[in-house]
Amino acid sequence: MEKAELLQAMRRNLQWFEESGVMEPPDGSWGVAERLSVAEGEALEKMKRAFPAWTTLPQGLVIEQRRADCNFEAALLYKLAGEVLDDPECDAVAGKILDFLYFRSGLLNRYDEGFPAGGWRWSHIQWRPTVWFDDDAWCIFIQLALAKLDPALDARYELKKWAQQLAGELIPAMRRTFMAEDRRAPGEWHDPAGAWSGRLELPHWGSLAVMALARAAQDSPDPAAAAEIRRYHGYLRENLEHFTTSEFAYAILGATSAYRVFGEAADLELARQAGELLLAKLDPETGNLPAEHYEAPTGGRLADTIYTLNWSFLALQMLDELADDPRVRQARRLQAELLVSIQDRTPDPFFRGCWRGMYDLDKREWGGGDCFEGGAGSIYTGWTNAPISIGLLFESRRESLLSLF
């Protein structure tokens, strides 16, 4: 796919961020909402109960909670777009989103000893603060990536300080949660201290923690971080084939990150193993991977952009950078083409330029039904749109997230 095509798709998505209502005002000064919803019935009512702040528009709802990870992903997208497009306006939006995160949102834990130091609570409207293994891993990674991209941002927001502080909290959290099975949910590992949330037995949480610790260790080497990564990867090597497609992609994100920092052959071999499992599920014509995540509709012809394709695209780019495998390169190319082909082209700015949560390849329309998570009813800013656009930007430069190390 030509560079111009990839960047044009990214530009369409930036326009969606600015015109759909997810970023109001569109300069980023009040951050980015979690998602748009066009769900109906019980799915919509469940969203309203779970996320008690929304704006009603004729086409649907803006779910107004500001998630730290979604805002960091949007800030990274705009920062990278400003660089590749040589557009200072994109750079300014990135700065406004970061101003919101650090100076307006109240999401960052600067002082409360009852929660992880440097932690980011999940939403600015939550009654009960929650620190998630997966979301806060992205917060660690992106803060350090932004500091590398622009030292002036580090000077303004103390990006490295907060990222390293949180990474220091993540290490003991991984240590005590590893194999800490919840009696109420056999097979699930949960932090026995209750400080962090998430099922660490799944790469969705564990491999993102690995990615964050590896990125933190690059700037500030820590034997304790390396030890936790070694232990977690030993577990994955023994159990990887039992996971679903989405989890293979997360495993690649973590393993390639660890290899980039530590250079351990075992990490690259784990990434290759996950890659083989991913390629075995890949549709050789469309590049699609079956939707298999337990929180969303499932099906071989459903293109899942909340839990699968968004992460597999980034993962394949990282694996391609490290492994000389034409099959990986072809899969990367096919997924780029697939994502551009299903990008919403309807004239309504509420949708134009976005990726909704799921696309039905047989019906050639957004699919999956009305769901609380997943399906066509949810249009995520972070998790879906920002990561896909970041992937398209990297594709235009034949790079990957590894360029941020």
Side-chain angles (χ1 to χ4, degrees), residues 208-224:
L208 289 183
V210 165
M211 179 185 73
L213 290 182
R215 184 61 185 81
Q218 183 185 44
D219 287 3
S220 182
D222 187 339

Side-chain angles (χ1 to χ4, degrees), residues 26-280:
D27 66 355
S29 59
W30 199 244
V32 176
E34 188 205 45
R35 62 176 120 166
L36 300 179
S37 172
V38 292
E40 298 178 349
E42 176 55 29
L44 179 60
E45 293 308 310
K46 187 175 180 180
M47 284 184 199
K48 288 182 174 181
R49 290 193 297 270
F51 313 130
W54 60 84
T55 297
T56 303
L57 299 177
Q59 308 93 324
L61 300 186
V62 182
I63 305 299
E64 292 286 4
Q65 61 190 34
R66 265 58 176 163
R67 282 173 51 171
D69 60 321
C70 292
N71 276 271
F72 272 119
E73 288 162 359
L76 179 61
L77 167 61
Y78 270 92
K79 183 65 182 175
L80 291 169
E83 178 184 294
V84 75
L85 300 176
D86 192 21
D87 186 346
E89 291 187 11
C90 286
D91 210 53
V93 171
K96 292 285 190 181
I97 295 173
L98 293 172
D99 278 354
F100 166 75
L101 281 168
Y102 288 91
F103 306 145
R104 298 191 186 99
S105 71
L107 287 165
L108 173 62
N109 178 29
R110 288 181 164 93
Y111 307 114
D112 191 335
E113 295 181 0
F115 294 90
W120 294 84
R121 62 191 177 103
W122 186 69
S123 164
H124 81 302
I125 61 172
Q126 272 188 308
W127 286 99
R128 298 184 181 91
T130 308
V131 176
W132 291 92
F133 278 111
D134 53 347
D135 298 344
D136 272 49
W138 280 113
C139 294
I140 292 170
F141 179 87
I142 293 174
Q143 285 180 101
L144 294 171
L146 289 168
K148 176 187 177 181
L149 290 169
D150 189 346
L153 294 179
D154 185 38
R156 180 171 174 80
Y157 306 109
E158 298 184 292
L159 301 168
K160 291 181 181 179
K161 168 191 165 181
W162 294 117
Q164 292 292 353
Q165 195 168 42
L166 184 55
E169 297 273 359
L170 178 55
I171 293 168
M174 286 194 74
R175 184 182 302 128
R176 65 178 176 259
T177 306
F178 188 83
M179 298 192 76
E181 188 168 317
D182 188 335
R183 293 180 181 177
R184 297 165 299 178
E188 296 184 13
W189 304 353
H190 293 278
D191 179 8
W196 292 70
S197 296
R199 297 175 55 186
L200 200 65
E201 82 278 4
L202 297 177
H204 177 117
W205 284 275
S207 287
L208 289 183
V210 165
M211 179 185 73
L213 290 182
R215 184 61 185 81
Q218 183 185 44
D219 287 3
S220 182
D222 187 339
E228 290 311 307
I229 290 172
R230 297 277 75 76
R231 182 163 68 155
Y232 193 75
H233 278 180
Y235 158 74
L236 285 190
R237 278 192 293 275
E238 294 180 5
N239 296 279
L240 191 61
E241 64 183 22
H242 302 300
F243 295 123
T244 60
T245 306
S246 176
E247 304 297 341
F248 301 150
Y250 285 108
I252 294 170
L253 293 175
T256 53
S257 296
Y259 180 73
R260 170 52 57 90
V261 175
F262 300 107
E264 295 279 348
D267 291 330
L268 181 56
E269 182 54 36
L270 176 62
R272 290 180 184 275
Q273 180 186 353
E276 289 292 339
L277 292 166
L278 199 69
L279 291 173

Side-chain angles (χ1 to χ4, degrees), residues 362-396:
D362 287 329
K363 296 180 179 179
R364 297 186 180 182
E365 61 186 25
W366 300 109
D370 281 331
C371 307
F372 175 62
E373 300 282 359
S378 290
I379 308 171
Y380 280 83
T381 51
W383 283 78
T384 297
N385 283 275
I388 290 173
S389 275
I390 288 169
L392 294 177
L393 185 152
F394 283 141
E395 196 69 14
S396 75

